[in-house]
Amino acid sequence: MSDRPAADGLDDRSRPGVEEFVTAWATALHRAHYVPISAEQRRRIVAGLADRLVTAVLAEPGEPGGGRRIGTDLVAAGFGSPEALGGTIAVIGSRFLGELGITADPTIAARLNRLLADLAAGFTSAAHDLSLRAQDTVRLAALAARTQAEEALRVSEARFRRFATHDQLTGLPNLTLLTEQLGRLSAAQLPIDRVGVCCLDVDDFAAVNDVLGYQVGDLLLREIADRVGALTDRRIDLVARLDSDRFAILVRDTTCAGDAVKIADQALAALAAPFRVNGTEVPLTVSAGVAEGTVADGGAATLMRASEIALHWAKADGKATLRQFDQDRSNADAERYRLSAAMPAALRRGEFTAAYQPIVALRSGQLTGVEALARWQHPQLGLLSAARFIELAERTGLVVPLGRQLLEQACRQASRWQRVQPGLYVSVNVSVRQLRRNGFAGAVAQILDRTGLPPHLLQLEVTEQAVIDLTGIVTETLAALMKLGVRIVIDDFGIGYANLANLRSLPLHGLKLDASLTRSSAQPARRPGARRPGTDDDFLSTVVSLGHKLGLVVTAEGIETAQQARRLTATGCDNGQGWHFGRPVPPHEITARIVAQQHHDAVSPGTELPALPIQQR
Amino acid sequence: MERPDWAPADVDLSRPSVARAYDYWLGGSHNFEVDREFARQALAAVPDLRLVARANREFLHRAVRFMLDEGIRQFLDIGSGIPTVGNVHEIAQQVDPDSRVVYVDIDPVAVTHSTHILAGQPNAVALLEDLRHPEAVLDHPEVRRLLDLDRPVGLLLVSVVHAVPDQDDPYGLIRRLWTALAPGSCVAISHVTTDSRPDEMGEGARLSGRTNTPVTARTRTQVEDFFAGLDLVEPGVVWSPLWRPESSADVGEHPERMSFYVGVGRRR
């Protein structure tokens, strides 16, 4: 601040007493109000003002507006507080005339009064303006701060939204954004009515991460994202990364499922080229699931799920392939799942029962045994055959308690039948899972004990698969069962990959030929000189005699006609089973049949009992 | 969900701001009625609060001049508040026009106002940052642009440290700040205490709970502890008017009534 005194004030400043007055004024101002200047600066400012004051009081006729400007400049110098004005008036009023030795004649006194009034007015006016300016500035600052905060909030929200809707690794949209976009399309405000979702998943990606490390895994995921993101088909609406190694392509404006499949094929083709990381090729395959349909009625969201279901099929069907969603297959899946889930409770409630299918000696036509077959008396679906649920029970392991329950039922029933037909045996299926469990033979022994069935009247049917790979525990179990006196037969013989060596080494009782061998096939074209079995009958005879040579009892399954029965009798096959001899029926019908046969035998022994009418349940 | 760390501070004009109340105590008009209402309540509790504020402001200026005499030409003023007359860059640039000043405050209005005042000032800038995030302050691109941290810096923590409660580890924060500065750097701290006027200043501190920056008053020993590791320059930690006064007249009869402990430390 440069506040040089006016040139015409030079004489006045040299007046005696001015120095003292300046000191008094500067001290009063400093006490009243803090301005961050040095004492010397403060003194210089006050000296300038004092000179102008002297001039204003002594000059003829007096400088108009001089007092007002002193007040204004006081504020401009920073001394704008009420205390500064008060101090100024007090010092001027009490010290000015005295220190400067000016006689207070009425003219001078009046002039000084007017000067003080002007000074106060100028000061107040300037202080008021200063306040108003400050208020404007602070208000504008507040407004600007608020705008900036809002802008920053918008930016951070945009960043946050991007963070929330995009995958950080690949930069692709994530599941949230895909779901939103599907939702928008479903809102049906858009001129689009069909969309497709292609779900892509890297096969066995966990192994890549495990073996090569996450960094390599991440590089591969980026590469995959780049390749899929680079697809240029105009119908591709969005490419998203759903989770670790799963991606999705949203396809719009499709006309049929084929359109979406084409896009998925393009993606698979793009991903089929070799992946290289640090110069090393990383073998990768990808599976895809495709769903396509209308977006109306929120269908878009279900398409997402459908594509994932189709992806599961692609995985289940061997991976590195594409599957298209199919409602029938999905329904069947869902039905199987529901059955599977309902099974444990059904087992507790005793909804599983056994049906019995006759096994007859082919030569005599006599009933020699029955096969116990699992049935589920489902509260809603009615009676379900084993084909509907045994595979599910195998998968969940429920086959173990279920098998044990059926075994006990069958043994108890067979034990009862001994009273009407001594020697009638019951044949029960045993799953691989049961055989592989410790203590199975012990459980069988207990059941035989409880039910009173002689061990040799219990026949256990095991599959070829069960004995193809004889691990220690299966061999031990089979040996223990043999030791009990229980009969073991190979079920479904001839369709699996039986280890013939095992047929010789295992303590087997017999073979059950699969129904597919029993039915005659189309005659193969005969080529002269070809060395192959001439007819089905030749083939069957060979198999039967193989069994007999090994000392095994041979039973043929799936005999549906009298002709088949005659053919098999001719091969020397021991026993027969199939609709021709009777369908699986509840136990009381077997009892009725035994009674009928005994009655028949008493009347006309040696002739065959006519087939019973087919019982439908 | 927790607010992400890049989310901006809110501008809440319905709460009093200590920065604007401080301006009012100093006689300024850069404040709103909500601030003045709080400021008047505080004045009712501590009638000479204007003098307390003034004494603190005077310490700031003496400390800056001291650092200028020490050859320091770059300043980091944290808790700078509302710019009034006699801002650090004005004082520093009187001595050396190339002096550089970074103002930091947590109050968005104070910062936008400062930015407005500093328009056309290539060597001074105001930043919206928090003393509680020293690295965010030190690594701020504007700090890096204006200040050369390999040369001494004047770190000004005037009437701000008492806004950091104990659970935010004020000692650790301040140490993290000055350890990032070059040897020869100076740290000025002024801090509210209730040692001399437990009732009045205690009530004032209690009232500050209404603002965004409630006060934690500390004892002399606690204030001295902020200088641990630094060379405390003469006369050490004292009442604000007693730190290198320019004249004995500036001290007054009861310097302890000014209720601020102040001091300057130098980094070895």
Side-chain angles (χ1 to χ4, degrees), chain A residues 95-141:
Chain A
R95 307 278 295 267
F96 181 69
L97 297 178
E99 293 289 358
L100 271 72
I102 299 170
T103 315
D105 64 51
T107 320
I108 293 286
R111 208 179 276 168
L112 187 62
N113 277 344
R114 200 167 55 246
L115 196 79
L116 280 176
D118 282 355
L119 187 150
F123 182 98
T124 315
S125 169
H128 182 61
D129 284 353
L130 193 67
S131 263
L132 291 177
R133 271 203 302 283
Q135 281 284 295
D136 283 354
T137 346
V138 75
R139 250 166 239 292
L140 286 173

Side-chain angles (χ1 to χ4, degrees), chain A residues 30-34 36-38 41 131 134-135 137-139 141-142 144-146 148-149 152-153 156 159-160 163, chain B residues 1 4 6-9 11 13 20 26 29-32 36 54 57-58 61 65 85-86 108-109 112-113 116 250:
Chain A
H30 181 50
R31 210 170 278 151
H33 192 85
Y34 172 63
I37 51 178
S38 65
Q41 285 171 313
S131 263
Q135 281 284 295
T137 346
V138 75
R139 250 166 239 292
R146 191 165 265 181
Q148 277 171 20
L153 191 68
S156 82
R159 281 178 68 186
F160 189 70
F163 185 77
Chain B
M1 185 180 298
W6 62 77
V11 178
L13 295 180
R20 294 192 299 265
L26 287 173
S29 302
H30 299 96
N31 40 67
F32 299 117
R36 293 189 287 272
R54 172 177 165 168
R57 190 85 183 152
E58 287 174 321
H61 293 138
R65 284 194 205 101
V85 278
V109 179
T112 37
H113 191 201
H116 175 74
D250 289 344

Side-chain angles (χ1 to χ4, degrees), chain A residues 316-555:
Chain A
D317 294 352
K319 301 173 183 171
T321 186
L322 181 153
R323 285 290 175 271
Q324 193 183 322
F325 180 74
D326 165 48
Q327 193 59 54
D328 290 343
R329 182 170 174 179
S330 174
N331 290 347
D333 276 2
E335 177 61 24
R336 269 200 299 280
Y337 172 77
R338 275 194 290 277
L339 277 183
S340 185
M343 240 185 267
L347 185 65
R348 284 196 300 276
R349 286 195 296 263
E351 289 173 14
F352 291 97
T353 58
Y356 299 89
Q357 186 171 33
I359 300 171
V360 301
L362 282 174
R363 210 163 304 150
S364 67
Q366 294 284 315
L367 182 74
T368 59
V370 288
E371 180 178 353
L373 294 159
R375 291 290 181 268
W376 181 356
Q377 187 62 55
H378 193 282
Q380 280 91 41
L381 302 173
L383 192 71
L384 304 181
S385 72
R388 291 281 295 276
F389 60 86
I390 283 295
E391 195 197 320
L392 300 176
E394 290 266 13
R395 214 177 290 164
T396 59
L398 198 79
V399 73
V400 173
L402 173 61
R404 184 177 298 192
Q405 202 186 79
L406 283 171
L407 183 65
E408 179 137 14
Q409 277 186 38
C411 288
R412 181 159 289 119
Q413 185 58 52
S415 184
R416 280 194 208 116
W417 279 323
Q418 298 311 309
R419 275 175 260 148
V420 285
Q421 182 177 337
L424 186 80
Y425 67 88
V426 67
S427 194
V428 181
N429 292 286
V430 175
S431 80
V432 185
R433 274 185 111 123
Q434 283 172 289
L435 284 178
R436 285 195 183 140
R437 278 178 88 90
N438 279 318
F440 179 67
V444 172
Q446 284 178 10
I447 288 170
L448 290 171
D449 216 36
R450 275 203 295 277
T451 58
L453 184 70
H456 71 277
L457 296 182
L458 174 61
Q459 174 171 294
L460 296 179
E461 301 186 10
V462 301
T463 58
E464 287 179 324
Q465 200 60 36
V467 295
I468 195 167
D469 175 32
L470 284 174
T471 56
I473 186 152
V474 173
T475 317
E476 280 169 30
T477 302
L478 290 176
L481 289 169
M482 290 303 287
K483 212 170 161 194
L484 276 177
V486 171
R487 301 177 187 172
I488 310 285
V489 299
I490 301 284
D491 197 9
D492 303 330
F493 183 78
I495 54 162
Y497 297 90
N499 185 336
L500 289 177
N502 283 346
L503 290 185
R504 212 176 49 183
S505 60
L506 278 173
L508 293 177
H509 176 76
L511 300 177
K512 290 188 83 177
L513 305 186
D514 189 73
S516 58
L517 297 182
T518 309
R519 291 181 209 114
S520 58
S521 62
Q523 288 290 323
R526 297 197 97 179
R527 278 185 294 146
R531 294 189 51 185
R532 52 187 305 158
T535 62
D536 283 351
D537 288 359
D538 293 343
F539 179 73
L540 274 174
S541 300
T542 308
V543 177
V544 170
S545 67
L546 168 74
H548 286 166
K549 289 249 166 66
L550 291 166
L552 303 175
V553 175
V554 181
T555 304

